[in-house]
């Protein structure tokens, strides 16, 4: 029998588990395919194999010319200067010199290691984790607090429920299908989000669960400016709300419950604290303004009768209120989370099957899928961080631009330490940070920027020292997502590209040179680490009643599925039955005395409508009359794989596509395919127009996916035109409030005009290279 000419290996990424066929002789990728336990694989699975050996791969270490030639000078030229290829020895020597110089100048707190990004789906090769393990052993680093996804909820929920496990505050699909009769979704629950998971998507079956819910008679209401935030096939009722006014609608619904006499007062009395004060606010006792349906109509743009009818429906049946993570990524985003809980509490269905509230239902692949409780995850220990300094993740600008000053956060003052060095691995700061023109200025402040990257993406082009890292296809790992019932073997598919190295190996060699190599790598190889991590997790799993196989059997089979229990526990059922919450009162805090004591006018002690800094009902709309919403793309993950054919095919005129309502397009004499300049007083970017009707997008609203690789006309110059469609050039870097200081990207007004002579897109061009150094 002739030997097979191809080799098959299983790997995983954020968008799924898949098999890759490679030619045994050439090592080239032949094909990709899904796995039997994934019913609906994401099309993104083919994107990484396509670009893993593409022209944008970084083949060896590089150093910015000015940094190399002038002993670290020329920081203002980051993003603009050519790069010099160097040997690994030379590059690692430069990294060590930079680390030691930064520590000598500003101490360990001057090293910013709060590297942020989804990085690898694997548990060992998670770039920010291996970076932090290294920097911790080096003496510590300034870290981040919170996250970009649901940071406002993460910060306020401990005061409301005494819990910060936001991604577990979700009622799962089987319970929705069996018990929910009305599913009200603020911000929707888009299926494109459900094709990905931060720890690796395994089962893409959210679409099937939507269909089951519809077949079971679950009524669905999509409260969003964009109709397709809930799948059309489940025939949702669409309430096209004005952006950033969800809190006003929730208050209008709550007021209607009060005047209709259908508030569950027994529940608000026995399970909540502060309800009487909150009701006084609703009825106008605090400020003289009743938050009734008519008032809410004036704020939201929805008819008062629609609001009243929805409130009656919610009170008359088993209702689940879901608020998408995107809703709280806005100015005063904490209030949307708090109002969600308050509305559900007034309905009295919290802790009942299929009732109450969810946060971020469908925000990731596994978040609403059934999963056994208590599954341990193989884990690489980070180790201690001797430095206490932490900065809210959405406020890195302030860290870099205001050293020595203070910032209010969560009831205390944070001192902003000086930053001598940024070490970034596994993320794209030019994707998740806002107000990019200000961010470019901030990025140019530290003495050194070191980046690990597989491709010549924006963070690599804006670095001083660039170290080429491997992709998931070039290493072995284990995927074990927080919301998945699977452990997945990620088997190496390809040899590392050119001189690329695994991040953990790079840090291991740096640690050896600095004298703490044994503490860092513990004498373990890649496979020995995986074996060790698996065995520790397996022992824990046995203690919890599970029976995973030995490592070798797991690795050979490719996966282990944890068995589902006969019954799932209903969210907060134990609390409803009498178990106290971890709050001062032991109850749901509709009024928080702790937050009241902080004295924040931008985060009052109960759910409150606070006018956003910019919205369609405010004075700024006279100058910038369109509200820009930025959403997760369908064709990539955040900015990952924007260089793939799949992502680039979705662009319009080579730029990210911006959706515009036909009425707004007509006023500006725009047509499908036009290139437009999108601008406000923070900056401007170019995008390609796609026109939709009022049956799809609310007039006055424009929408664009995030993640287009940052492509400035004049690299390194703040304020320059961005050519490719990165919306964070115009988003504001204000915090949601002083409580959480989280990103408020969805609070953004703009204007749009046609650009008749657009410059060429250069996002996927290689940087200029100059002569090699040994």
């Amino acid at each position: 029998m002739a030997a097979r000419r191809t080799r098959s290996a299983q790997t995983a990424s954020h968008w799924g588990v898949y098999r890759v066929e490679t030619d045994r002789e050439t090592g080239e990728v032949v094909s990709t395919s899904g796995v039997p336990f994934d019913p609906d694989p994401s099309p993104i699975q083919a994107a990484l194999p396509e670009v893993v050996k593409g022209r944008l791969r970084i083949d060896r270490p590089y150093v910015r010319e000015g940094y190399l030639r002038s002993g670290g000078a020329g920081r203002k030229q980051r993003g603009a200067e050519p790069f010099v290829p160097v040997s690994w020895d030379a590059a690692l020597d430069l990294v060590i010199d930079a680390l030691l110089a930064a520590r000598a100048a500003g101490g360990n707190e001057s090293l910013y290691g709060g590297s942020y990004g989804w990085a690898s789906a694997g548990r060992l090769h998670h770039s920010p984790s291996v970076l932090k393990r290294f920097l911790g052993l080096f003496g510590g680093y300034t870290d981040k607090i919170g996250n970009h996804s649901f940071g406002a909820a993460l910060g306020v929920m401990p005061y409301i429920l005494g819990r910060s496990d936001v991604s577990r505050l979700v009622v799962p699909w089987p319970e929705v299908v069996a018990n929910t009769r009305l599913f009200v979704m603020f911000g929707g629950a888009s299926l494109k989000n459900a094709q990905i998971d931060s720890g690796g998507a395994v089962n893409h079956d959210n679409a099937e669960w939507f269909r089951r819910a519809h077949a079971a008679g679950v009524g669905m209401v999509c409260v969003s400016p964009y109709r397709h935030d809930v799948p059309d096939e489940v025939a949702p009722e669409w309430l096209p709300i004005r952006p950033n006014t969800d809190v006003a609608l929730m208050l209008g619904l709550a007021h209607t419950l009060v005047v209709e006499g259908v508030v569950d007062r027994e529940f608000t009395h026995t399970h909540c604290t502060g309800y009487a004060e909150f009701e006084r606010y609703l009825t106008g006792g605090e400020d003289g303004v009743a938050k009734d349906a008519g008032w809410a109509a004036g704020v939201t743009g929805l008819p008062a009768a629609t609001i009243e009818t929805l409130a009656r429906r919610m009170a008359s049946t088993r209702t689940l209120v879901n608020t998408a993570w995107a809703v709280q990524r806005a100015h005063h985003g904490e209030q949307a989370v708090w109002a969600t809980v308050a509305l559900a509490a007034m309905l009295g269905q919290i802790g009942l099957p299929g009732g109450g509230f969810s946060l971020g239902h469908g925000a990731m692949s596994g978040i609403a899928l059934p999963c056994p409780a208590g599954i341990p995850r193989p884990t690489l220990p980070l180790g201690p961080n001797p430095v206490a300094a932490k900065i809210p993740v959405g406020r890195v600008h302030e860290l870099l631009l205001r050293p020595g000053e203070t910032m209010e956060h969560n009831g205390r003052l944070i001192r902003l330490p000086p930053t001598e060095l940024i070490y970034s691995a596994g993320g794209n700061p030019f994707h998740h940070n806002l107000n990019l023109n200000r961010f470019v200025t901030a990025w140019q402040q530290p003495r050194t920027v070191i980046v690990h990257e597989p491709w010549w993406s924006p963070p690599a082009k804006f670095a001083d020292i660039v170290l080429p890292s491997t992709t998931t296809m070039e290493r072995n790992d284990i995927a074990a997502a927080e919301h998945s019932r699977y452990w997945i073997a990620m088997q190496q598919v390809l040899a590392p590209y050119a001189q690329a190295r695994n991040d953990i190996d790079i840090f291991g060699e740096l640690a050896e040179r600095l004298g703490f190599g044994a503490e860092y790598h513990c004498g373990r190889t890649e496979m020995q680490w995986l074996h060790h991590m698996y065995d520790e997790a397996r022992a824990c799993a046995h203690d919890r009643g599970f029976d995973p196989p030995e490592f070798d059997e797991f690795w050979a089979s490719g996966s282990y599925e944890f068995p589902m229990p006969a019954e799932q526990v209903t969210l907060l059922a134990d609390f409803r039955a009498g178990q106290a919450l971890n709050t001062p009162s032991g109850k749901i805090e509709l009024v928080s005395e702790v937050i009241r004591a902080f004295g924040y006018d931008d985060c009052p002690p109960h759910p409150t409508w606070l006018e956003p800094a910019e919205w369609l009902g405010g004075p700024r709309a006279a100058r910038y009359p369109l509200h820009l919403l930025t959403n997760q793309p369908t064709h990539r993950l955040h900015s990952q794989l924007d260089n793939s054919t799949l992502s680039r095919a979705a662009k319009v005129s080579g730029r990210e596509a911006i959706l515009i309502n036909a009425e707004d397009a007509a006023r500006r004499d725009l047509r499908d395919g036009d290139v437009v300049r999108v601008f406000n007083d923070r900056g401007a970017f170019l995008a390609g127009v796609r026109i939709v009707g009022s049956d799809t997008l609310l007039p006055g609203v424009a929408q664009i996916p995030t993640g287009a690789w940052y492509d400035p006309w004049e690299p390194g110059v703040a304020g320059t035109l961005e050519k490719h469609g990165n919306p964070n050039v115009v988003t504001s870097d204000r915090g949601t409030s002083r409580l959480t200081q989280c990103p408020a990207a969805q609070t953004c007004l703009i204007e749009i005009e046609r650009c008749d002579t657009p410059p060429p897109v250069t996002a996927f061009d290689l940087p200029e290279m100059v002569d090699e150094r040994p």
Side-chain angles (χ1 to χ4, degrees):
M1 180 182 294
R4 286 186 61 190
R5 294 197 56 184
T6 61
R7 172 183 174 270
S8 176
Q10 173 185 280
T11 188
S13 211
H14 304 295
W15 42 86
V17 184
Y18 55 104
R19 300 200 69 84
V20 183
E21 296 278 337
T22 54
D23 187 289
R24 288 184 180 275
E25 293 183 5
T26 66
E28 298 299 316
V29 174
V30 175
S31 64
T32 63
S33 59
V35 289
F37 44 84
D38 187 354
D40 186 21
S42 168
I44 302 176
Q45 70 169 243
L48 178 56
E50 174 214 336
V51 299
V52 71
K53 294 185 177 182
R55 60 184 293 273
L56 285 172
R57 278 303 297 268
I58 303 173
D59 60 342
R60 60 182 300 173
Y62 287 85
V63 182
R64 181 173 59 82
E65 182 182 29
Y67 185 90
L68 183 65
R69 309 290 193 212
S70 306
R75 65 188 76 174
K76 300 297 183 184
Q77 295 302 306
R78 282 185 195 127
E81 282 192 328
F83 283 90
V84 180
V86 298
S87 68
W88 268 105
D89 277 341
L92 295 177
D93 284 344
L94 286 170
V95 170
I96 289 173
D97 289 346
L99 287 167
L100 293 173
R103 187 169 67 178
N108 276 87
E109 69 174 8
S110 73
L111 311 176
Y112 181 65
S115 189
Y116 185 94
W118 275 29
S120 171
R123 303 291 294 178
L124 174 62
H125 294 290
H126 183 258
S127 309
S129 297
V130 296
L131 165 65
K132 292 177 182 183
R133 180 178 172 86
F134 167 77
L135 290 177
L137 289 168
F138 184 65
Y141 56 97
T142 293
D143 203 354
K144 62 176 177 59
I145 304 170
N147 66 39
H148 286 272
S149 297
F150 51 81
L154 185 69
V156 76
M157 264 304 182
Y159 297 101
I160 304 170
L161 289 184
R163 296 174 59 167
S164 59
D165 56 340
V166 171
S167 65
R168 294 192 177 277
L169 296 176
V170 177
V171 176
W173 272 119
E175 195 173 308
V176 171
V177 172
N179 300 283
T180 304
R181 296 302 91 193
L182 181 62
F183 196 178
V184 181
M185 291 171 272
F186 289 88
S190 178
L191 279 177
K192 62 179 170 49
N193 301 337
Q195 68 179 327
I196 58 175
D197 196 296
S198 61
V202 179
N203 298 107
H204 293 95
D205 45 11
N206 281 273
E208 175 59 25
W209 280 110
F210 261 114
R211 288 189 286 267
R212 291 187 195 181
H214 180 56
V218 179
M220 299 190 190
V221 179
C222 175
V223 183
S224 170
Y226 183 56
R227 184 184 202 108
H228 302 310
D229 278 334
V230 173
D232 287 344
E233 62 187 292
V234 299
E237 178 182 349
W238 181 40
L239 301 185
I241 190 172
R242 185 178 283 166
N244 285 195
T245 65
D246 301 81
V247 172
L249 175 56
M250 294 178 198
L251 296 178
L253 293 168
H255 184 279
T256 302
L257 298 179
V258 173
V259 299
E260 300 266 330
V262 290
V263 174
D264 189 331
R265 295 188 179 276
E266 180 179 357
F267 186 85
T268 58
H269 174 71
T270 58
H271 288 76
C272 304
T273 185
Y275 175 72
E277 180 178 340
F278 178 57
E279 185 174 295
R280 284 197 301 276
Y281 169 72
L282 286 175
T283 56
E286 282 193 6
D287 56 9
V289 178
K291 315 306 180 297
D292 59 18
W295 168 86
V299 176
T300 65
L302 298 171
T306 298
I307 298 170
E308 292 168 341
T309 300
L310 178 59
R312 295 180 190 122
R313 290 171 61 197
M314 294 171 73
S316 66
T317 191
R318 185 61 55 86
T319 298
L320 179 60
V321 182
N322 178 70
T323 295
W325 292 348
V327 172
Q328 53 88 69
R329 288 197 293 270
H331 198 203
H332 313 306
E334 300 86 358
Q335 302 306 310
V337 177
W338 212 339
T340 299
V341 178
L343 181 58
M346 292 172 70
L347 293 170
Q349 298 180 23
I350 293 175
L352 295 178
F357 68 91
S358 279
L359 293 180
H361 188 105
M364 293 190 299
S365 172
I367 196 169
L369 301 181
C371 182
I375 297 178
R377 315 291 169 182
T379 300
L380 173 74
L382 297 186
N385 179 10
V387 172
K390 292 181 173 64
I391 304 301
V393 68
R395 309 293 279 154
V396 176
H397 307 68
E398 310 306 318
L399 169 71
L400 302 177
L401 291 172
R402 299 198 292 115
E405 299 183 35
T406 59
M407 174 191 299
E408 291 184 273
H409 174 259
N410 201 20
R412 65 187 184 93
L413 286 178
I414 295 175
R415 185 183 68 84
L416 302 171
T419 303
E420 295 287 330
L421 182 146
I422 296 173
Y423 210 134
S424 178
N428 179 359
F430 294 85
H431 159 64
H432 54 251
N433 283 296
L434 310 178
N435 194 353
L436 283 180
N437 284 317
R438 186 165 181 249
F439 180 74
V440 166
T441 300
W443 192 256
Q444 292 172 337
Q445 302 309 304
R447 180 181 303 183
T448 303
V449 174
I450 305 167
V451 167
H452 293 198
E453 257 294 296
W455 295 280
W456 282 108
S457 61
K461 291 179 178 179
F462 276 79
D464 297 318
I465 303 171
V466 182
L467 303 181
S469 57
T470 56
T471 69
T472 53
M473 292 180 63
E474 296 158 301
R475 53 200 185 216
N476 296 292
D477 214 327
I478 297 172
E482 181 183 358
H483 304 287
S484 172
R485 62 183 184 271
Y486 288 89
W487 288 349
I488 300 294
M490 299 171 58
Q491 299 153 350
Q492 184 174 341
V493 177
L494 301 170
Y497 176 80
Q499 295 185 31
R501 297 184 182 180
N502 295 336
D503 295 299
I504 194 170
D505 296 333
I506 297 171
F507 291 121
E509 183 164 347
L510 288 170
E512 285 284 356
R513 295 182 180 210
L514 288 164
F516 54 87
E519 292 91 336
Y520 184 80
H521 54 65
C522 301
R524 298 187 181 106
T525 64
E526 176 187 65
M527 290 306 296
Q528 287 171 337
W529 264 116
L530 295 177
H531 206 304
H532 171 75
M533 291 162 53
Y534 182 92
D535 287 348
E536 286 197 330
R538 179 172 178 263
C540 183
H542 275 286
D543 291 343
R544 298 177 184 179
F546 300 109
D547 190 26
E550 295 279 355
F551 176 80
D552 290 342
E553 181 182 343
F554 158 74
W555 195 256
S557 65
S559 65
Y560 172 71
E561 180 181 4
F562 285 79
M564 291 295 299
E567 295 183 4
Q568 290 283 295
V569 177
T570 293
L571 177 65
L572 294 174
D574 52 355
F575 164 66
R576 188 179 186 92
Q579 181 175 314
L581 298 176
N582 188 30
T583 58
S585 65
K587 301 178 180 181
I588 296 171
E589 303 238 331
L590 299 182
V591 171
S592 170
E593 296 301 333
V594 178
I595 291 180
R596 192 196 303 276
F598 294 159
Y600 294 154
D601 59 1
D602 58 358
C603 189
H606 60 67
T608 305
W609 161 251
L610 299 171
E611 186 171 339
E614 47 192 274
W615 66 298
L616 292 177
R620 188 177 169 86
R623 183 176 181 189
Y624 299 115
L626 297 174
H627 195 122
L628 182 67
L629 296 178
T630 49
N631 63 336
Q632 166 66 28
T634 303
H635 40 275
R636 60 176 178 265
L637 166 62
H638 302 150
S639 69
Q640 289 188 36
L641 303 178
D642 191 31
N643 52 326
S644 71
T645 300
L646 180 69
S647 180
R648 295 170 76 167
K651 299 182 188 290
V652 173
S653 300
R655 302 160 215 272
E656 201 63 35
I658 187 167
L659 295 186
I660 306 173
N661 181 280
E663 297 176 17
D664 298 318
R667 291 191 188 99
R668 293 159 178 81
D669 194 26
L670 300 177
R671 292 171 176 78
D672 260 334
D674 281 350
V675 174
V676 291
R677 176 175 173 263
V678 183
F679 64 96
N680 58 24
D681 52 12
R682 289 182 287 270
F685 68 88
L686 301 182
V689 168
R690 280 196 180 138
I691 297 173
V692 294
S694 296
D695 58 347
T696 297
L697 184 68
L698 182 70
V701 177
Q703 181 169 281
I704 188 170
T706 61
W709 282 9
Y710 177 62
D711 187 23
W713 189 324
E714 297 181 86
V717 178
T720 189
L721 176 70
E722 200 282 332
K723 303 178 294 181
H724 185 215
N726 188 317
N728 281 338
V729 171
V730 298
T731 52
S732 169
D733 59 349
R734 67 171 60 86
T736 50
S737 78
R738 285 177 286 170
L739 183 75
T740 68
Q741 292 282 8
C742 285
Q746 304 293 7
T747 299
C748 179
L749 292 181
I750 56 157
E751 181 56 287
I752 294 176
E753 63 185 13
R754 188 170 56 246
C755 178
D756 291 322
T757 55
V761 173
T762 55
F764 307 117
D765 289 357
L766 291 169
E768 183 183 351
M769 308 293 182
V770 293
D771 64 302
E772 181 176 350
R773 291 282 294 263

